[in-house]
Amino acid sequence: MQEMVTLRLKNVILDSRSRMRPWLLIMHKLIDRGHKKDSSYVLLMTKHLVGLMLAVFVRKDIRRFITDEEKGAIGCGTGGVGNKGAVAIRLRLFNTSFCFVNAHLAAHREHFDQRNADYRRIINKLQFKSEADDGSRKRTRTSVSNHDHTFFVGDLNYRLSLSNDKLWMVYSNISRRDWNALLPHDQLLAAKKHDVFAGFQEGSICFPPTFKYTPSTEDYATGDGKNRMPAWCDRILWKSMDPSSVKQHFYDSVSGYALKSDHKPVFSCFAVKVKVPDPKRQAEEFERIKTLMKIRKAPRGTNHVLRGGSRAIGSSQKKQRRPVSPMSDSAAFGGRRLLYYKSHAKLRHVDVDTDESEESDDTPGARSPVDTLPAVKSKKETGRIGERVTSA
């Protein structure tokens, strides 16, 4: 939502949280309409900043698969005040991360550069703070761009780069629904040629400009003496690490309703593929790790040789030496980093031999339990271990 409260100094200073509840109740009722009880939606999280509000609703049956919920906000007004700025919510569904941003950028046609600066501030400065994965008190910071899928929506305020003497020509093209005659003058499309909204996509615009209407009417504001040029101020864009995993079904504006606003809302529907854990592959990985841990816990004095391909390491090879901990995680089965383990607490040395013809001095021809482990392929070949891709 945009301009949930009037952008006056009093509302900028005071907390407008109490204004959210009536809107959330209305949204929840409309989203739940027509759904069965076991598939109805629940409110996951909200975030507001003066007149900006963002709400994320999720289906009850997938709520338990959502983790890493965080929210943030940043002001872009004078002195960082929140009359302009953005609110954002991030989450992880299964193994896929999402970020939703609702922004209100600088107004007026001549403030093109300021809008671009507002966008850069949001992308660079809005960060989510969360607990570190290792359970420590350290807090990690995640930026808007550091997600699998990012949706950027709101009153972006980009206008048509046309002078007021072209106003009636614009109205004529709108009446004929000739959007192709107007879109070449859209400031957002021009901004994307630079570093603004780089990598973001937007669906085809096949609806009238969403600004500026006379409130409570379906007519553009022509008699207020301001001569405001109609424009597509309200937009929905998205960026994905894998563009092929996102499909937009429709993109349109709300028409036929006399709203008490000089804007018309926009809406869109997407289908997104997410990464879902594969229990079978996870079980295989778990057994492989268990086998490795058994080797690490071998009785004192027991030597093990870790092999990779046809290369073996033994204590008699002295071509290269470097210290390694007996509990190091650098076992790299099937790779070139080969470790000679000894089950003592002190550091031992590893002997690396690149000559494939040499044999180990530890029981020539004998196979280590590690030889039975499957080689670990690179992340580039397999993706994240224990994952499969499905639709949700």
Side-chain angles (χ1 to χ4, degrees):
M1 290 194 66
Q2 303 282 332
E3 299 184 7
M4 184 176 58
V5 296
T6 306
L7 298 182
R8 297 174 180 172
L9 180 60
K10 179 180 69 174
N11 292 329
V12 171
I13 298 175
L14 298 178
D15 189 357
S16 57
R17 189 176 306 170
S18 60
R19 304 287 186 94
M20 294 171 53
R21 181 169 176 78
W23 286 109
L24 292 173
L25 292 175
I26 294 172
M27 290 179 181
H28 201 171
K29 181 178 179 180
L30 293 175
I31 292 174
D32 253 350
R33 181 182 294 176
H35 289 277
K36 297 179 180 179
K37 186 176 181 180
D38 59 351
S39 63
S40 59
Y41 286 75
V42 295
L43 177 63
L44 177 70
M45 184 176 286
T46 64
K47 182 62 179 177
H48 84 287
L49 178 69
V50 190
L52 282 168
M53 185 182 76
L54 177 62
V56 175
F57 293 84
V58 300
R59 284 208 324 262
K60 286 182 178 179
D61 56 342
I62 64 171
R63 173 62 185 89
R64 61 193 178 97
F65 301 112
I66 294 177
T67 58
D68 299 344
E69 307 104 303
E70 299 288 343
K71 55 187 177 181
I74 188 170
C76 294
T78 304
V81 177
N83 58 325
K84 294 293 188 289
V87 291
I89 293 175
R90 72 177 297 263
L91 59 91
R92 181 177 297 275
L93 174 59
F94 295 108
N95 287 344
T96 301
S97 60
F98 290 83
C99 180
F100 304 96
V101 181
N102 179 21
H104 192 183
L105 307 186
H108 303 300
R109 180 172 53 197
E110 62 272 18
H111 292 162
F112 173 75
D113 291 336
Q114 184 59 51
R115 281 187 282 279
N116 294 344
D118 289 349
Y119 163 80
R120 295 188 186 99
R121 176 175 171 81
I122 293 168
I123 290 295
N124 296 328
K125 299 296 184 180
L126 200 163
Q127 295 182 329
F128 304 95
K129 300 178 182 179
S130 57
E131 299 295 335
D133 293 336
D134 58 5
S136 66
R137 294 185 178 181
K138 296 180 180 179
R139 298 181 68 84
T140 59
R141 296 177 181 269
T142 305
S143 66
V144 169
S145 300
N146 192 24
H147 295 85
D148 294 318
H149 307 288
T150 302
F151 292 86
F152 202 109
V153 308
D155 181 3
L156 306 187
N157 258 323
Y158 286 97
R159 310 301 176 90
L160 296 180
S161 296
L162 293 170
S163 58
N164 287 339
D165 59 357
K166 303 290 185 181
L167 188 61
W168 294 106
M169 180 270 288
V170 172
Y171 287 140
S172 175
N173 287 321
I174 292 175
S175 65
R176 297 196 306 269
R177 300 183 69 84
D178 187 2
W179 317 131
N180 291 331
L182 299 177
L183 285 171
H185 305 285
D186 178 62
Q187 289 183 342
L188 178 55
L189 297 182
K192 291 181 68 175
K193 295 179 181 179
H194 306 287
D195 62 339
V196 177
F197 288 99
F200 278 89
Q201 301 181 61
E202 184 180 19
S204 299
I205 295 179
C206 300
F207 50 87
T210 60
F211 174 86
K212 171 184 173 97
Y213 286 83
T214 300
S216 302
T217 72
E218 284 285 289
D219 303 321
Y220 287 101
T222 57
D224 58 1
K226 295 182 178 180
N227 293 325
R228 294 289 184 88
M229 181 72 67
W232 285 280
C233 289
D234 309 278
R235 313 290 275 265
I236 298 174
L237 299 96
W238 77 95
K239 181 169 66 173
S240 177
M241 296 292 185
D242 178 13
S244 64
S245 64
V246 180
K247 181 179 180 181
Q248 186 180 44
H249 287 298
F250 53 79
Y251 183 29
D252 205 348
S253 68
V254 176
S255 59
Y257 294 91
L259 304 175
K260 294 181 180 180
S261 172
D262 54 1
H263 290 255
K264 294 296 183 184
V266 292
F267 61 97
S268 186
C269 178
F270 297 84
V272 183
K273 291 182 178 180
V274 300
K275 300 172 185 176
V276 179
D278 187 334
K280 182 178 179 180
R281 292 186 63 185
Q282 285 186 324
E284 292 174 352
E285 179 67 10
F286 179 71
E287 291 300 323
R288 189 184 69 83
I289 294 174
K290 279 176 60 178
T291 305
L292 172 61
M293 297 307 295
K294 288 180 180 179
I295 295 174
R296 290 176 172 176
K297 295 178 180 180
R300 177 178 292 273
T302 302
N303 292 348
H304 289 297
V305 178
L306 302 187
R307 299 175 181 270
S310 61
R311 296 173 173 82
I313 295 176
S315 59
S316 64
Q317 301 167 2
K318 306 297 181 183
K319 294 190 176 183
Q320 182 179 347
R321 301 176 67 83
R322 62 173 179 243
V324 62
S325 165
M327 292 301 290
S328 171
D329 290 325
S330 304
F333 318 110
R336 295 186 177 182
R337 289 189 302 152
L338 307 174
L339 307 184
Y340 174 61
Y341 276 82
K342 194 140 183 168
S343 55
H344 291 280
K346 297 181 179 179
L347 290 178
R348 295 292 173 180
H349 285 86
V350 61
D351 303 313
V352 179
D353 181 22
T354 57
D355 187 352
E356 296 185 8
S357 64
E358 291 195 25
E359 291 288 339
S360 166
D361 66 342
D362 288 87
T363 315
R367 290 176 58 83
S368 165
V370 179
D371 292 326
T372 63
L373 296 175
V376 177
K377 296 182 179 180
S378 68
K379 184 176 180 181
K380 183 176 180 181
E381 296 174 328
T382 63
R384 295 178 61 177
I385 294 176
E387 290 181 357
R388 60 187 172 86
V389 177
T390 187
S391 293

